[in-house]
Structures are given as C-alpha cells and as structure tokens.
Amino acid sequence: MNEFIGTLPFSQTELTLHIFVLIVNLLLLVFSKPLVTIFRKRAENDFQLSIFRSLGLLFLCLHILDFILIVFNKDYQNVFSRMAWMLVTIYLGVFLFSFLSYLSRRKFGTQKKFDDKISYIDTYNSRLVDLIGLVIISIISLYIIIDIWDFDSLLQTTGIFGIAAAFLALTNQIWAPDMFFGMVILNSKMLEDGDVIQFGESSDEYIINKVTLIYTILLDVRNNHRTLIKNSKLVDARIDNLSKKASTDGLRMKLSYKIGYPPKENIEGFKKQINEMFAEVNTYAIKDEDIKINENIAFEWYLHETGDYALEYDLFYYIDALPNTKVTRTVRSYLLKTPNLLNEAVYTASLHHNIDLSTPILHQGV
C-alpha cells in the first residue's frame, strides 16, 4: 500500500484529504433529503432536492476525473477540481442565504396562522437583514471563486469589483424599483401573505402567496392559477385588500334585483311583500352554515333606482371576516358561493311572496 502511495504525484496528507472529501460528498448525497427539508417548505422540496443531488453527483464526477488526470498527467492544472469547488462555493452561498432568511424570519419576522398552522412571514426588518446578508455572502463567494482560479489581478480596484459595481449602477433602473417597492409593501403591512386582494376595477380576487425581493406570487381565486407580478407593477395600480376590514361589521357586499311596478292602488302591500321577502332571506341565511355572513348585522335593502321598466332594489349583506388561508377553495366559499346561495334564497322567497323578479317588457299602443 505504501509503495502504491509513493508512486502517486501527491503526499499521504493530500490523498487523505481527497478520500475525506469523497466520503463527505457521499454522506451528503445519502442524507440529502433531511438536509434540504430543514429550511424549506414541503412544496419546494422536490426541486431543491433535485438540485442538491445533481450538484453532489456532478461534484463527485469532477473530483474523480480530477483525481484520475492527476495520476496520469503530471502537467494537469486541476481544472476539473476548480470547477467542482466553484460549484460548491455557489451552492453554499445560496444555502447560507436560505439559512440566513430562515433565521431572520424567526427573529425579525412575524407569526401568522394559515389553516390552523403557524407560519413565519417576512417583514421589513427581516427583509433588510436578508439584503445585507445577500451583499456580504455575494462578496465573499466572489472572492473565494477568484481565489480558486488564482485570478488575483481581478481583485484590483479596476478589476472584477469595479466591473460589478458599474454593472449594478447601469442596471439599477431594472432591479432597484422592484426591490424598493417590495420593501415598501412589507413596511406598510397593507399587503401580507394570505391577504385577498383585487386590482382596480377588476372583479377577480387573488391571494397573496409570497412577497419576494423582486416579485409577488398571487393565487387566482376563481381559476386556481398562479400569477407572478413585479412589485413595481403591483403598487402601481389601485389595490383593494379584502382581508383588511374597515369596520368590525365585515366586508359589505351587494345584490341587485329588478322588480316590475305594482298597481298604484296596491303600493303599500307591495312594499310589505318586499320587506317580508328580504327578511325571510335574512332569517334563512343565518340558519344556513354554508352562507358565510355576519349574523350580528341585519340585511339592508333599499330602492336604488326607478327605471323605465322596473324598480331596482339593492340588498346589502356583510360577509364574515376572511380566514387566513392560502386555499382558494376556502376563499371561494366566502366570496363566490355565499352570493350565489343568497341569490337562490332570494328567488325562492320571491316565489313565496308572489314577487316576479323578471324585468317586464311594456308595450305602448300608438
């Protein structure tokens, strides 16, 4: 054994180091799943696990290839070994940033309950720590990569750091606004993970899934789509946050009905029928558990418009506070299912009270 080692172009210490690195790499591959799942959510595990294992296998192949070339080529310059350690440096930088983000959310973030589970979400302070950590980790990783390839000349003032600074200065209009508005969103506390929002005049509802440094991920309540929008575009439009109540009464919503004009001699009886119909709907909604209304606030109804063909009545009701959830089905039961069930209840009550909800068409003879 000693004679074989003596024929190799490196010492006993270097050989031991090579073997130790290979053993550590194999152990990381074996225990890759528990290592990845420590700081990442379950939904992201498969992708991160694939990257971790692929990097481990690539490092193993490069290291073995480097070992073989060292043995058979005395002039070999450790190119594959340097490539392997550069990949490891990059991945360790990403891993350290994930670890820092995990700790900053725990220390400076805030707790929020989603679907009976406690989660930590980012705040302005935690994201600020992430930004500082990102800068430090990036500089250290870049320095290590330069040292691996022996490009010490790039460390000069006019070298790689000068080029990187110039690149960031020239491209700041691309990435800086989104990062700035991402911090504004977190600092305002008006848009948080799990909030249900609407944009401008659109009736589509979205759940905020995650606010990142550059973009925000939304869940489309109606269609179950995932939507990605830049932070600068997000705050550029008017946003209605349905989860942030302006009153303890809850979210105020409206249903409109057009009812034909009654005979003039029966106007009081007609008003009584209208009141009884909507009162019946209110009583029914309180008893039905599938209708998510605030039971403490009575329904309101008013004559909104006297049109050419019909009277238009508005029925106002208050929805229960939206739960902290990222499940679109749950939000639909509040914002879509409840109005539909109420609409059906109004129709049923109109039959009980002989009120025709169809808009009459009047013909006037000449």
Side-chain angles (χ1 to χ4, degrees), residues 54 103 117 120 123 166:
S54 299
L103 293 180
K117 294 181 180 179
Y120 290 88
T123 60

Side-chain angles (χ1 to χ4, degrees), residues 268-335:
E268 294 301 326
F270 173 78
K271 291 181 179 179
K272 182 179 179 182
Q273 284 179 300
I274 295 294
N275 292 334
E276 290 177 350
M277 178 185 71
F278 286 131
E280 179 180 323
V281 174
N282 192 5
T283 303
Y284 173 81
I286 293 174
K287 296 178 181 179
D288 192 340
E289 296 181 356
D290 290 333
I291 300 179
K292 310 295 185 180
I293 63 167
N294 186 349
E295 300 176 359
N296 299 319
I297 306 297
F299 285 8
E300 304 168 5
W301 53 89
Y302 306 101
L303 177 59
H304 171 68
E305 185 177 350
T306 55
D308 292 336
Y309 300 102
L311 301 172
E312 183 173 347
Y313 280 85
D314 287 341
L315 173 64
F316 294 95
Y317 59 96
Y318 295 84
I319 291 222
D320 266 344
L322 296 176
N324 290 327
T325 180
K326 294 184 180 180
V327 180
T328 55
R329 184 189 300 110
T330 302
V331 177
R332 280 198 299 271
S333 68
Y334 283 77
L335 300 180

Side-chain angles (χ1 to χ4, degrees), residues 191 195-199 204-206 208 218 239-241:
L191 301 174
D195 286 355
V196 181
I197 62 174
Q198 288 180 322
F199 293 102
D204 294 335
E205 301 87 3
Y206 298 90
I208 298 178
L218 306 173
I239 301 175
D240 296 324
N241 192 327

Side-chain angles (χ1 to χ4, degrees), residues 91-193:
Y91 189 83
L92 282 177
V94 175
F95 179 82
L96 286 174
F97 179 71
S98 298
F99 179 64
L100 175 66
S101 298
Y102 173 80
L103 293 180
S104 65
R105 280 195 298 270
R106 291 275 178 170
K107 180 67 176 178
F108 303 104
T110 182
Q111 288 187 4
K112 198 168 183 179
K113 195 172 184 179
F114 296 105
D115 304 312
D116 298 327
K117 294 181 180 179
I118 298 295
S119 298
Y120 290 88
I121 62 175
D122 280 309
T123 60
Y124 177 84
N125 293 330
S126 67
R127 189 55 55 79
L128 189 61
V129 173
D130 289 349
L131 282 175
I132 296 173
L134 178 62
V135 173
I136 295 174
I137 292 173
S138 299
I139 293 174
I140 293 175
S141 299
L142 184 59
Y143 179 85
I144 293 174
I145 291 173
I146 291 173
D147 188 63
I148 289 173
W149 291 98
D150 294 328
F151 292 155
D152 295 337
S153 61
L154 293 176
L155 296 177
Q156 298 176 1
T157 306
T158 58
I160 188 65
F161 287 110
I163 295 174
F167 174 79
L168 293 175
L170 292 173
T171 60
N172 70 87
Q173 294 183 351
I174 299 175
W175 53 266
D178 296 309
M179 190 173 294
F180 171 77
F181 285 114
M183 299 296 289
V184 170
I185 290 172
L186 292 174
N187 188 47
S188 67
K189 297 183 180 180
M190 274 297 297
L191 301 174
E192 298 179 333
D193 289 8

Side-chain angles (χ1 to χ4, degrees), residues 27-40 49 52 95:
L27 290 174
L28 289 175
L29 285 173
V30 173
F31 297 102
S32 57
K33 189 170 185 178
L35 286 173
V36 169
T37 56
I38 292 176
F39 308 115
R40 295 207 172 259
L49 186 59
F52 188 85
F95 179 82

